[in-house]
Amino acid sequence: MIMIIMPHITLILLWLIVGIPIIINPTTWIWTGSDPGSVALAMVPPNPIQCNDGGGGGGDCTLSNSYGAWGDRKDCHVLNVTYPTNEEELRLAVAHANRNKLKLKVVSKFSHTIPKLACPGSGEGPNFLISTKNYDSGIEIDTKNMAVTVDSGVGLRRLIDEVERVGLSLVAAPYWEGVSVGGIISTGAHGSSWWGKGGAVHDHVIGVSMVVPAKPSEGYAKIIRIEANDPLLDAAKVSLGLLGVISKVKLSVEKGFKRSIRYNFTEDGGIEERWFEHGKKNEFGDITWYPSKHIAVYRYDNRVPLNASGDGTFDFIGFQPNSLLISKTIRATEKAIENSGNSKGKCAMAATVVGYKKLSANGLKNNGVIFTGYPVVGPQAKMQTSGTCLYATRNDLSCAWDPRINGLFFYETTAIFPANNLVTFTNFINDVKKLRDLNPENFCGVDAYNGFLIRFIKASTAYLGQTVDSVVVDFNYYRASDALTPRLNQDLWEEVEQMAFFKYGAKPHWAKNRNLAFLGVKDKYPSFGKFVEKRKELDPENIFSSEFSDELLFGSREKKDGCALEGQCVCSEDRHCRPDKGYFCQQGLVYKEARVCRFAHSSLFQNQI
């Protein structure tokens, strides 16, 4: 699932740098070229499954994620794909795989998982893929019991709108709405909240229906209904697709409400002390930290009554439609900056990004069209999640990361820290500040995307959920077009990454991160053994496991030349970096136990020798 990408304000920077003519429409950015009258709409994201027979699923197929590249850069080949439209067809698909001893995985309409969890195998053995793209019709709302039961393939936006239509609200949702309900539950997707049941969607689940393998006498597959009091629910709520195929999800809902949001752009002094109180005092609050600019943005976000004045929306600027040409030019500009080895260009981007975010309130709109001032008050359905780049139909605009256009291409690291011990996350922030203070310009690359996004999720009973109240950090940064091309300030992001997961023991978000983030992950979950027991019980033949899921959960792959450049390993020898390009395996600058690929002529490197 995608999180945050470089916002549209970078377009202004490009206009200043390379003279691209741009005009602003009240609801989106529009490329006009030499014709100010031409208005474009976005092209919808592609089906992540492409088959030789044109998409029907009957021939050799390839599964991609929404970025067009998995962590290992290798294609996922699938022998056959099926598109069930109802629960019985879903059961028959699982029965077919079980009867024929096929490896089986499930993918949704958009496929935003960064790790290769949706791939049923390397293609060396028989495998099978189920797409829930067309299994998206069932939404049953129980107003008496304040619950909604939904088919796993239903998109988040449709679910939110249907619930809101009858005067109810779904409380928790991720910030990006281009996901399915089944995908949300499987991977632990979340928003931000320590209040009530918390910001993780799976903690609002009160029932799950799942299709699992069965004996031949039971038709090779059966549907099990897991209710709130069933201990199996704690395994099923975050299952990574390893227990069976989720067919229906039952979620609790609440009476409809509105939210009032205000951003406070201020200096980052004391952020290491303020984060905890901010999470406690604001129901949906978050913090965005721009280290290179010494700026912290505190989001004051709380519910207000449904009769409160205001019809605002949150249309996050990074999820709005982008001109294809603009997206390509942004990417080309960033590549040129990378190739020149000069951080000042990225610092110019970061300054412009942060400046325009403050001006535009990050996409908040008081009346659904423009931002006129704080607070912005609007219905929960319009304020909790966004993704307008998903819906238009023409070919001039798209989501900026659409792999067909050679647009934005980046990594996303997401680390989850325990909040019951305040020292852990506080010390992480202080360590990042120490690394930043060696040369703030080297942190501009992350601030040109979205800095460090800090959110809050509550303790969960899910076996693969968070055992205590937690704080989550997301940050995005440039990914090279070629797997063996080193990146500007690569060593710093490797050090921050290793600092989070190894020094402070953070847990990785299941649907994000590079492979190294999952090293030793099973030891970070006290109930991991219970989850494995339920997996053996429901899938004794391991048809839902693959070498990719096994690697993620249980072990690491062989280290190869250049493997550290894309986070496939932590370097222990120079050959894991690119010594022929001047990148060598060195210790961290602040976290000395880190092992990172550093350019030999880096000024920071020279100061250490």
Side-chain angles (χ1 to χ4, degrees), residues 222-261:
K222 62 183 179 182
I223 300 167
I224 58 175
R225 311 290 184 192
I226 308 169
E227 300 298 334
N229 59 352
D230 191 329
L232 185 56
L233 187 61
D234 287 335
K237 284 195 293 188
V238 184
S239 62
L240 309 182
L242 295 175
L243 302 183
V245 180
I246 294 174
S247 59
K248 294 182 182 294
V249 177
K250 187 176 184 181
L251 293 155
S252 61
V253 293
E254 298 184 15
K255 290 183 179 180
F257 61 91
K258 288 184 175 181
R259 279 160 69 166
S260 174
I261 302 178

mmCIF file of all heavy atoms in Angstrom, residues 222-261:
data_model
loop_
_atom_site.group_PDB
_atom_site.id
_atom_site.type_symbol
_atom_site.label_atom_id
_atom_site.label_comp_id
_atom_site.label_asym_id
_atom_site.label_seq_id
_atom_site.Cartn_x
_atom_site.Cartn_y
_atom_site.Cartn_z
ATOM 1 N N LYS A 222 -13.423 -24.956 2.255
ATOM 2 C CA LYS A 222 -14.624 -24.636 3.029
ATOM 3 C C LYS A 222 -14.553 -23.192 3.517
ATOM 4 O O LYS A 222 -13.481 -22.580 3.579
ATOM 5 C CB LYS A 222 -14.769 -25.588 4.214
ATOM 6 C CG LYS A 222 -13.617 -25.521 5.216
ATOM 7 C CD LYS A 222 -13.795 -26.562 6.327
ATOM 8 C CE LYS A 222 -12.621 -26.514 7.312
ATOM 9 N NZ LYS A 222 -12.749 -27.541 8.380
ATOM 10 N N ILE A 223 -15.714 -22.673 3.874
ATOM 11 C CA ILE A 223 -15.815 -21.310 4.396
ATOM 12 C C ILE A 223 -15.977 -21.385 5.904
ATOM 13 O O ILE A 223 -16.842 -22.111 6.409
ATOM 14 C CB ILE A 223 -17.014 -20.572 3.774
ATOM 15 C CG1 ILE A 223 -16.863 -20.497 2.257
ATOM 16 C CG2 ILE A 223 -17.145 -19.169 4.369
ATOM 17 C CD1 ILE A 223 -18.122 -20.075 1.535
ATOM 18 N N ILE A 224 -15.139 -20.691 6.622
ATOM 19 C CA ILE A 224 -15.283 -20.636 8.070
ATOM 20 C C ILE A 224 -15.672 -19.220 8.482
ATOM 21 O O ILE A 224 -15.199 -18.234 7.898
ATOM 22 C CB ILE A 224 -13.992 -21.078 8.799
ATOM 23 C CG1 ILE A 224 -12.793 -20.215 8.398
ATOM 24 C CG2 ILE A 224 -13.699 -22.544 8.512
ATOM 25 C CD1 ILE A 224 -11.521 -20.536 9.192
ATOM 26 N N ARG A 225 -16.561 -19.123 9.464
ATOM 27 C CA ARG A 225 -17.020 -17.836 9.976
ATOM 28 C C ARG A 225 -16.385 -17.628 11.349
ATOM 29 O O ARG A 225 -16.601 -18.415 12.267
ATOM 30 C CB ARG A 225 -18.535 -17.798 10.112
ATOM 31 C CG ARG A 225 -19.305 -18.269 8.875
ATOM 32 C CD ARG A 225 -19.197 -17.288 7.718
ATOM 33 N NE ARG A 225 -20.013 -17.730 6.581
ATOM 34 C CZ ARG A 225 -19.934 -17.212 5.361
ATOM 35 N NH1 ARG A 225 -19.073 -16.226 5.120
ATOM 36 N NH2 ARG A 225 -20.708 -17.658 4.380
ATOM 37 N N ILE A 226 -15.608 -16.589 11.479
ATOM 38 C CA ILE A 226 -14.879 -16.319 12.720
ATOM 39 C C ILE A 226 -15.512 -15.103 13.384
ATOM 40 O O ILE A 226 -15.449 -13.988 12.856
ATOM 41 C CB ILE A 226 -13.390 -16.064 12.429
ATOM 42 C CG1 ILE A 226 -12.801 -17.199 11.580
ATOM 43 C CG2 ILE A 226 -12.607 -15.897 13.720
ATOM 44 C CD1 ILE A 226 -11.417 -16.897 11.034
ATOM 45 N N GLU A 227 -16.133 -15.308 14.510
ATOM 46 C CA GLU A 227 -16.833 -14.233 15.200
ATOM 47 C C GLU A 227 -15.945 -13.601 16.268
ATOM 48 O O GLU A 227 -14.832 -14.053 16.542
ATOM 49 C CB GLU A 227 -18.126 -14.768 15.820
ATOM 50 C CG GLU A 227 -19.102 -15.354 14.809
ATOM 51 C CD GLU A 227 -19.589 -14.342 13.781
ATOM 52 O OE1 GLU A 227 -19.590 -13.125 14.107
ATOM 53 O OE2 GLU A 227 -19.958 -14.741 12.660
ATOM 54 N N ALA A 228 -16.481 -12.570 16.921
ATOM 55 C CA ALA A 228 -15.695 -11.756 17.845
ATOM 56 C C ALA A 228 -15.129 -12.548 19.013
ATOM 57 O O ALA A 228 -14.044 -12.243 19.505
ATOM 58 C CB ALA A 228 -16.544 -10.594 18.354
ATOM 59 N N ASN A 229 -15.864 -13.559 19.482
ATOM 60 C CA ASN A 229 -15.404 -14.318 20.649
ATOM 61 C C ASN A 229 -14.558 -15.530 20.288
ATOM 62 O O ASN A 229 -14.182 -16.320 21.155
ATOM 63 C CB ASN A 229 -16.606 -14.765 21.488
ATOM 64 C CG ASN A 229 -17.576 -15.629 20.682
ATOM 65 O OD1 ASN A 229 -17.427 -15.759 19.471
ATOM 66 N ND2 ASN A 229 -18.555 -16.198 21.363
ATOM 67 N N ASP A 230 -14.232 -15.692 19.009
ATOM 68 C CA ASP A 230 -13.440 -16.832 18.548
ATOM 69 C C ASP A 230 -11.956 -16.487 18.670
ATOM 70 O O ASP A 230 -11.499 -15.487 18.099
ATOM 71 C CB ASP A 230 -13.793 -17.154 17.099
ATOM 72 C CG ASP A 230 -13.216 -18.476 16.620
ATOM 73 O OD1 ASP A 230 -12.141 -18.868 17.108
ATOM 74 O OD2 ASP A 230 -13.837 -19.105 15.739
ATOM 75 N N PRO A 231 -11.171 -17.285 19.403
ATOM 76 C CA PRO A 231 -9.730 -16.982 19.523
ATOM 77 C C PRO A 231 -9.004 -16.958 18.183
ATOM 78 O O PRO A 231 -7.924 -16.359 18.067
ATOM 79 C CB PRO A 231 -9.207 -18.104 20.433
ATOM 80 C CG PRO A 231 -10.267 -19.146 20.472
ATOM 81 C CD PRO A 231 -11.561 -18.473 20.186
ATOM 82 N N LEU A 232 -9.578 -17.570 17.159
ATOM 83 C CA LEU A 232 -8.957 -17.567 15.843
ATOM 84 C C LEU A 232 -8.938 -16.165 15.225
ATOM 85 O O LEU A 232 -8.126 -15.876 14.341
ATOM 86 C CB LEU A 232 -9.696 -18.536 14.914
ATOM 87 C CG LEU A 232 -9.125 -18.762 13.510
ATOM 88 C CD1 LEU A 232 -7.676 -19.228 13.575
ATOM 89 C CD2 LEU A 232 -9.983 -19.764 12.752
ATOM 90 N N LEU A 233 -9.808 -15.272 15.719
ATOM 91 C CA LEU A 233 -9.877 -13.933 15.152
ATOM 92 C C LEU A 233 -8.556 -13.182 15.323
ATOM 93 O O LEU A 233 -8.165 -12.396 14.455
ATOM 94 C CB LEU A 233 -11.019 -13.138 15.790
ATOM 95 C CG LEU A 233 -11.319 -11.762 15.186
ATOM 96 C CD1 LEU A 233 -11.734 -11.894 13.719
ATOM 97 C CD2 LEU A 233 -12.412 -11.044 15.980
ATOM 98 N N ASP A 234 -7.857 -13.426 16.427
ATOM 99 C CA ASP A 234 -6.589 -12.728 16.647
ATOM 100 C C ASP A 234 -5.521 -13.136 15.638
ATOM 101 O O ASP A 234 -4.582 -12.394 15.384
ATOM 102 C CB ASP A 234 -6.086 -12.989 18.068
ATOM 103 C CG ASP A 234 -6.904 -12.243 19.116
ATOM 104 O OD1 ASP A 234 -7.497 -11.216 18.761
ATOM 105 O OD2 ASP A 234 -6.952 -12.694 20.268
ATOM 106 N N ALA A 235 -5.655 -14.320 15.057
ATOM 107 C CA ALA A 235 -4.754 -14.729 13.978
ATOM 108 C C ALA A 235 -5.222 -14.184 12.641
ATOM 109 O O ALA A 235 -4.409 -13.798 11.795
ATOM 110 C CB ALA A 235 -4.655 -16.249 13.923
ATOM 111 N N ALA A 236 -6.535 -14.128 12.435
ATOM 112 C CA ALA A 236 -7.092 -13.767 11.129
ATOM 113 C C ALA A 236 -7.066 -12.268 10.860
ATOM 114 O O ALA A 236 -7.070 -11.854 9.697
ATOM 115 C CB ALA A 236 -8.533 -14.275 11.034
ATOM 116 N N LYS A 237 -7.023 -11.445 11.901
ATOM 117 C CA LYS A 237 -7.129 -9.991 11.708
ATOM 118 C C LYS A 237 -5.946 -9.420 10.933
ATOM 119 O O LYS A 237 -6.096 -8.490 10.152
ATOM 120 C CB LYS A 237 -7.273 -9.296 13.064
ATOM 121 C CG LYS A 237 -8.650 -9.432 13.665
ATOM 122 C CD LYS A 237 -8.898 -8.471 14.812
ATOM 123 C CE LYS A 237 -8.063 -8.761 16.025
ATOM 124 N NZ LYS A 237 -8.484 -7.916 17.185
ATOM 125 N N VAL A 238 -4.743 -9.944 11.185
ATOM 126 C CA VAL A 238 -3.560 -9.569 10.396
ATOM 127 C C VAL A 238 -2.894 -10.882 10.001
ATOM 128 O O VAL A 238 -2.071 -11.423 10.718
ATOM 129 C CB VAL A 238 -2.575 -8.702 11.205
ATOM 130 C CG1 VAL A 238 -1.418 -8.255 10.312
ATOM 131 C CG2 VAL A 238 -3.275 -7.492 11.800
ATOM 132 N N SER A 239 -3.255 -11.395 8.829
ATOM 133 C CA SER A 239 -2.845 -12.762 8.467
ATOM 134 C C SER A 239 -1.860 -12.832 7.312
ATOM 135 O O SER A 239 -1.369 -13.911 6.989
ATOM 136 C CB SER A 239 -4.084 -13.594 8.117
ATOM 137 O OG SER A 239 -4.758 -13.042 7.005
ATOM 138 N N LEU A 240 -1.581 -11.699 6.647
ATOM 139 C CA LEU A 240 -0.612 -11.652 5.543
ATOM 140 C C LEU A 240 -0.962 -12.606 4.408
ATOM 141 O O LEU A 240 -0.110 -12.962 3.602
ATOM 142 C CB LEU A 240 0.808 -11.972 6.053
ATOM 143 C CG LEU A 240 1.297 -11.187 7.267
ATOM 144 C CD1 LEU A 240 2.727 -11.597 7.613
ATOM 145 C CD2 LEU A 240 1.216 -9.692 7.027
ATOM 146 N N GLY A 241 -2.220 -13.046 4.343
ATOM 147 C CA GLY A 241 -2.640 -13.986 3.307
ATOM 148 C C GLY A 241 -2.139 -15.389 3.526
ATOM 149 O O GLY A 241 -2.176 -16.207 2.599
ATOM 150 N N LEU A 242 -1.703 -15.732 4.738
ATOM 151 C CA LEU A 242 -1.065 -17.023 4.992
ATOM 152 C C LEU A 242 -2.001 -18.052 5.622
ATOM 153 O O LEU A 242 -1.625 -19.217 5.751
ATOM 154 C CB LEU A 242 0.150 -16.826 5.909
ATOM 155 C CG LEU A 242 1.292 -15.997 5.314
ATOM 156 C CD1 LEU A 242 2.370 -15.761 6.355
ATOM 157 C CD2 LEU A 242 1.881 -16.684 4.089
ATOM 158 N N LEU A 243 -3.194 -17.652 6.021
ATOM 159 C CA LEU A 243 -4.119 -18.589 6.656
ATOM 160 C C LEU A 243 -5.171 -19.118 5.686
ATOM 161 O O LEU A 243 -5.684 -20.223 5.850
ATOM 162 C CB LEU A 243 -4.830 -17.920 7.836
ATOM 163 C CG LEU A 243 -3.956 -17.359 8.950
ATOM 164 C CD1 LEU A 243 -4.834 -16.809 10.062
ATOM 165 C CD2 LEU A 243 -3.009 -18.411 9.498
ATOM 166 N N GLY A 244 -5.510 -18.329 4.711
ATOM 167 C CA GLY A 244 -6.572 -18.656 3.766
ATOM 168 C C GLY A 244 -6.925 -17.390 3.004
ATOM 169 O O GLY A 244 -6.196 -16.394 3.046
ATOM 170 N N VAL A 245 -8.068 -17.408 2.334
ATOM 171 C CA VAL A 245 -8.514 -16.247 1.558
ATOM 172 C C VAL A 245 -9.639 -15.566 2.328
ATOM 173 O O VAL A 245 -10.695 -16.168 2.568
ATOM 174 C CB VAL A 245 -9.006 -16.655 0.163
ATOM 175 C CG1 VAL A 245 -9.449 -15.421 -0.611
ATOM 176 C CG2 VAL A 245 -7.925 -17.406 -0.596
ATOM 177 N N ILE A 246 -9.440 -14.323 2.726
ATOM 178 C CA ILE A 246 -10.494 -13.568 3.390
ATOM 179 C C ILE A 246 -11.617 -13.333 2.385
ATOM 180 O O ILE A 246 -11.387 -12.817 1.286
ATOM 181 C CB ILE A 246 -9.968 -12.231 3.918
ATOM 182 C CG1 ILE A 246 -8.951 -12.479 5.036
ATOM 183 C CG2 ILE A 246 -11.104 -11.351 4.419
ATOM 184 C CD1 ILE A 246 -8.274 -11.216 5.529
ATOM 185 N N SER A 247 -12.831 -13.722 2.752
ATOM 186 C CA SER A 247 -13.961 -13.509 1.855
ATOM 187 C C SER A 247 -14.844 -12.348 2.301
ATOM 188 O O SER A 247 -15.313 -11.571 1.480
ATOM 189 C CB SER A 247 -14.802 -14.784 1.736
ATOM 190 O OG SER A 247 -15.300 -15.190 2.997
ATOM 191 N N LYS A 248 -15.062 -12.222 3.601
ATOM 192 C CA LYS A 248 -15.868 -11.117 4.125
ATOM 193 C C LYS A 248 -15.257 -10.602 5.418
ATOM 194 O O LYS A 248 -14.641 -11.358 6.178
ATOM 195 C CB LYS A 248 -17.315 -11.560 4.380
ATOM 196 C CG LYS A 248 -18.081 -11.936 3.108
ATOM 197 C CD LYS A 248 -19.523 -12.317 3.415
ATOM 198 C CE LYS A 248 -20.264 -12.744 2.154
ATOM 199 N NZ LYS A 248 -20.437 -11.616 1.197
ATOM 200 N N VAL A 249 -15.445 -9.309 5.654
ATOM 201 C CA VAL A 249 -14.944 -8.671 6.863
ATOM 202 C C VAL A 249 -16.096 -7.922 7.521
ATOM 203 O O VAL A 249 -16.840 -7.197 6.855
ATOM 204 C CB VAL A 249 -13.805 -7.686 6.553
ATOM 205 C CG1 VAL A 249 -13.339 -6.980 7.827
ATOM 206 C CG2 VAL A 249 -12.640 -8.396 5.883
ATOM 207 N N LYS A 250 -16.226 -8.103 8.823
ATOM 208 C CA LYS A 250 -17.254 -7.398 9.592
ATOM 209 C C LYS A 250 -16.567 -6.369 10.480
ATOM 210 O O LYS A 250 -15.698 -6.700 11.289
ATOM 211 C CB LYS A 250 -18.055 -8.379 10.449
ATOM 212 C CG LYS A 250 -19.262 -7.774 11.151
ATOM 213 C CD LYS A 250 -20.038 -8.858 11.895
ATOM 214 C CE LYS A 250 -21.293 -8.319 12.537
ATOM 215 N NZ LYS A 250 -22.034 -9.389 13.276
ATOM 216 N N LEU A 251 -16.945 -5.104 10.305
ATOM 217 C CA LEU A 251 -16.310 -3.999 11.014
ATOM 218 C C LEU A 251 -17.326 -3.269 11.882
ATOM 219 O O LEU A 251 -18.493 -3.113 11.502
ATOM 220 C CB LEU A 251 -15.719 -3.003 10.021
ATOM 221 C CG LEU A 251 -14.542 -3.476 9.170
ATOM 222 C CD1 LEU A 251 -14.472 -2.688 7.881
ATOM 223 C CD2 LEU A 251 -13.236 -3.332 9.937
ATOM 224 N N SER A 252 -16.890 -2.793 13.026
ATOM 225 C CA SER A 252 -17.745 -1.937 13.837
ATOM 226 C C SER A 252 -17.717 -0.520 13.267
ATOM 227 O O SER A 252 -16.699 -0.074 12.715
ATOM 228 C CB SER A 252 -17.262 -1.924 15.288
ATOM 229 O OG SER A 252 -15.948 -1.408 15.385
ATOM 230 N N VAL A 253 -18.835 0.166 13.391
ATOM 231 C CA VAL A 253 -18.940 1.553 12.939
ATOM 232 C C VAL A 253 -19.556 2.383 14.071
ATOM 233 O O VAL A 253 -20.050 1.839 15.058
ATOM 234 C CB VAL A 253 -19.784 1.682 11.652
ATOM 235 C CG1 VAL A 253 -19.081 1.021 10.479
ATOM 236 C CG2 VAL A 253 -21.168 1.072 11.836
ATOM 237 N N GLU A 254 -19.533 3.680 13.905
ATOM 238 C CA GLU A 254 -20.096 4.578 14.904
ATOM 239 C C GLU A 254 -21.053 5.556 14.240
ATOM 240 O O GLU A 254 -21.119 5.652 13.008
ATOM 241 C CB GLU A 254 -18.973 5.333 15.632
ATOM 242 C CG GLU A 254 -18.033 4.432 16.402
ATOM 243 C CD GLU A 254 -16.993 5.210 17.203
ATOM 244 O OE1 GLU A 254 -17.178 6.440 17.383
ATOM 245 O OE2 GLU A 254 -16.010 4.591 17.654
ATOM 246 N N LYS A 255 -21.794 6.288 15.065
ATOM 247 C CA LYS A 255 -22.671 7.316 14.522
ATOM 248 C C LYS A 255 -21.828 8.346 13.790
ATOM 249 O O LYS A 255 -20.695 8.638 14.174
ATOM 250 C CB LYS A 255 -23.461 7.980 15.648
ATOM 251 C CG LYS A 255 -24.508 7.060 16.276
ATOM 252 C CD LYS A 255 -25.312 7.795 17.344
ATOM 253 C CE LYS A 255 -26.375 6.875 17.936
ATOM 254 N NZ LYS A 255 -27.171 7.563 18.992
ATOM 255 N N GLY A 256 -22.400 8.899 12.733
ATOM 256 C CA GLY A 256 -21.649 9.830 11.907
ATOM 257 C C GLY A 256 -21.132 11.027 12.689
ATOM 258 O O GLY A 256 -21.784 11.508 13.619
ATOM 259 N N PHE A 257 -19.984 11.523 12.306
ATOM 260 C CA PHE A 257 -19.403 12.696 12.958
ATOM 261 C C PHE A 257 -18.558 13.462 11.953
ATOM 262 O O PHE A 257 -18.269 12.990 10.850
ATOM 263 C CB PHE A 257 -18.570 12.292 14.185
ATOM 264 C CG PHE A 257 -17.397 11.387 13.882
ATOM 265 C CD1 PHE A 257 -16.148 11.910 13.597
ATOM 266 C CD2 PHE A 257 -17.548 10.004 13.907
ATOM 267 C CE1 PHE A 257 -15.055 11.080 13.341
ATOM 268 C CE2 PHE A 257 -16.470 9.162 13.655
ATOM 269 C CZ PHE A 257 -15.220 9.699 13.370
ATOM 270 N N LYS A 258 -18.166 14.647 12.354
ATOM 271 C CA LYS A 258 -17.268 15.467 11.558
ATOM 272 C C LYS A 258 -15.924 15.589 12.270
ATOM 273 O O LYS A 258 -15.785 15.224 13.435
ATOM 274 C CB LYS A 258 -17.864 16.861 11.328
ATOM 275 C CG LYS A 258 -19.039 16.887 10.365
ATOM 276 C CD LYS A 258 -19.501 18.316 10.107
ATOM 277 C CE LYS A 258 -20.593 18.360 9.052
ATOM 278 N NZ LYS A 258 -21.031 19.764 8.783
ATOM 279 N N ARG A 259 -14.948 16.089 11.533
ATOM 280 C CA ARG A 259 -13.629 16.347 12.092
ATOM 281 C C ARG A 259 -13.215 17.789 11.849
ATOM 282 O O ARG A 259 -13.592 18.393 10.838
ATOM 283 C CB ARG A 259 -12.588 15.405 11.482
ATOM 284 C CG ARG A 259 -12.590 14.039 12.132
ATOM 285 C CD ARG A 259 -11.953 12.979 11.285
ATOM 286 N NE ARG A 259 -10.511 13.129 11.144
ATOM 287 C CZ ARG A 259 -9.722 12.165 10.661
ATOM 288 N NH1 ARG A 259 -10.243 10.992 10.303
ATOM 289 N NH2 ARG A 259 -8.435 12.350 10.532
ATOM 290 N N SER A 260 -12.455 18.311 12.776
ATOM 291 C CA SER A 260 -11.887 19.654 12.661
ATOM 292 C C SER A 260 -10.373 19.526 12.654
ATOM 293 O O SER A 260 -9.795 18.941 13.576
ATOM 294 C CB SER A 260 -12.335 20.522 13.840
ATOM 295 O OG SER A 260 -11.672 21.782 13.817
ATOM 296 N N ILE A 261 -9.726 20.060 11.600
ATOM 297 C CA ILE A 261 -8.288 19.881 11.424
ATOM 298 C C ILE A 261 -7.596 21.236 11.303
ATOM 299 O O ILE A 261 -8.070 22.144 10.607
ATOM 300 C CB ILE A 261 -7.979 19.035 10.168
ATOM 301 C CG1 ILE A 261 -8.664 17.660 10.268
ATOM 302 C CG2 ILE A 261 -6.476 18.865 9.988
ATOM 303 C CD1 ILE A 261 -8.449 16.783 9.055
#
